[in-house]
Amino acid sequence: MPAATSLGAWLRAPVPASPFQARMQAFWLGWRRLRRNPPALIGAAMLLVLIAVAAFAPLIATHDIYAQDLMARLQPPSAVHWLGTDDLGRDIFSRLVFGARITLYIAFLAALIAAPLGLVIGATAGYLGGWTDTVLMRLVDIFLSFPSLILALAFVAALGPGIENAIIAISLAAWPPIARLARAETLTVRQSDYIAAVRLQGASRLRIIVHHVMPMCIPSVVVRITLNMAAIILTAAGLGFLGLGAQPPSPEWGAMLSTGRQFVMTSWWIAAIPGTAILLTSLAFNLFGDGLRDVLDPRHG
């Protein structure tokens, strides 16, 4: 009990004694805000379950995801096949579990490409201004004039079908909103007194952008890309549905949904189950993103 009390006092200290204590206090305050947001906790729990399922897919799956059994095709959910079988007799539950790996792989890798790209372009445009800002923002406007799925389809058509090309296409379609947000944040930050002080010390523009402007934009970018994960997942599923993403026999959810559409009136589970998985995953990212916005928003009380 005294240890817990001393830890609480250390976290509530009005003036942190070290950078580590300051970071722990910020983390603790963020957790308190997140804890007061039940939908965000539900979204976080759903994402943790999804990540655990993807990580331990070989242990969770009950059947070989590629094994075909034409004698057991189109079977409804049962004790043997928990979520039924598809048109080739493959176990849908096992394929759904392994499909979580593909979905998270596409979503997180696309986010890791789009977020830094948008952050660099937006911060550079906002800080430098002038013709640099004009050229970069007009480029952003061109990208934003097309729906993300249409833009991704155009890039995949140029690059060719495949999961790697789909990730590149989704990333190229997802960075413009990040760039616009980073530019807006930079326009506010560059007028700050500490930026003027760093400039007077002789710091170069590159150093100011990288070490002082971009770190201030990161919280907003993290929130935005988390909220955009649902759109990324839907775009990836759309590419898989059209046969331009992960290729058969890969158990990607969009491809599974495409396979099940021709049996939707007779064997509804083939399409309904991967469709529900896409819906729940998108919902989880939206719920968690809303909570993360409350945690990382410096204007939040």
Side-chain angles (χ1 to χ4, degrees):
M1 189 67 179
T5 303
S6 61
L7 178 60
W10 184 74
L11 290 173
R12 289 191 294 268
V15 180
S18 66
F20 175 74
Q21 184 179 1
R23 287 192 293 269
M24 291 299 100
Q25 287 181 338
F27 180 80
W28 179 66
L29 291 173
W31 165 246
R32 289 185 60 187
R33 292 172 182 168
L34 187 65
R35 193 173 57 186
R36 293 196 296 265
N37 191 332
L41 291 179
I42 293 174
M46 293 169 64
L47 290 178
L48 288 176
V49 170
L50 181 65
I51 293 172
V53 167
F56 299 103
L59 301 177
I60 298 174
T62 58
H63 293 74
D64 184 348
I65 60 173
Y66 300 117
Q68 301 180 14
D69 183 3
L70 297 181
M71 300 299 295
R73 64 189 301 269
L74 303 179
Q75 287 190 358
S78 63
V80 178
H81 299 283
W82 295 349
L83 297 179
T85 60
D86 62 10
D87 59 320
L88 297 177
R90 297 172 297 190
D91 184 70
I92 293 179
F93 172 76
S94 300
R95 292 178 61 79
L96 192 76
V97 167
F98 274 91
R101 284 186 167 186
I102 300 175
T103 297
L104 291 181
Y105 172 73
I106 294 175
F108 284 121
L109 195 56
L112 287 176
I113 296 173
L117 180 62
L119 176 60
V120 170
I121 292 176
T124 301
Y127 184 78
L128 296 181
W131 67 268
T132 303
D133 182 30
T134 301
V135 171
L136 292 178
M137 286 302 102
R138 295 299 76 76
L139 178 64
V140 168
D141 290 339
I142 292 173
F143 275 79
L144 289 177
S145 64
F146 298 95
S148 59
L149 180 58
I150 301 300
L151 197 59
L153 285 172
F155 284 122
V156 170
L159 297 173
I163 189 169
E164 291 80 11
N165 290 340
I167 292 172
I168 295 174
I170 294 171
S171 303
L172 292 176
W175 71 266
I178 306 298
R180 175 163 286 183
L181 174 64
R183 176 182 178 271
E185 293 283 337
T186 302
L187 290 176
T188 302
V189 170
R190 74 175 184 178
Q191 305 298 331
S192 303
D193 293 338
Y194 82 93
I195 294 294
V198 172
R199 192 183 299 115
L200 289 175
Q201 292 176 356
S204 64
R205 289 182 172 183
L206 178 62
R207 180 176 180 82
I208 293 175
I209 292 173
V210 174
H211 293 282
H212 301 283
V213 174
M214 289 174 57
M216 297 300 294
C217 301
I218 287 177
S220 298
V221 169
V222 169
V223 172
R224 182 59 187 263
I225 198 65
T226 304
L227 291 171
N228 282 4
M229 290 293 271
I232 291 175
I233 290 172
L234 291 175
T235 302
L239 293 177
F241 183 86
L242 296 174
L244 298 174
Q247 298 299 297
S250 178
E252 196 270 329
W253 291 347
M256 293 174 62
L257 185 60
S258 177
T259 300
R261 61 180 173 174
Q262 55 186 316
F263 304 102
V264 69
M265 300 302 296
T266 56
S267 303
W268 56 267
W269 57 88
I270 302 178
I273 290 172
T276 302
I278 295 171
L279 170 65
L280 293 178
T281 303
S282 302
L283 178 63
F285 274 111
N286 279 333
L287 293 176
F288 180 65
D290 285 335
L292 199 62
R293 177 173 53 196
D294 295 338
V295 170
L296 296 179
D297 187 356
R299 295 175 292 275
H300 193 282

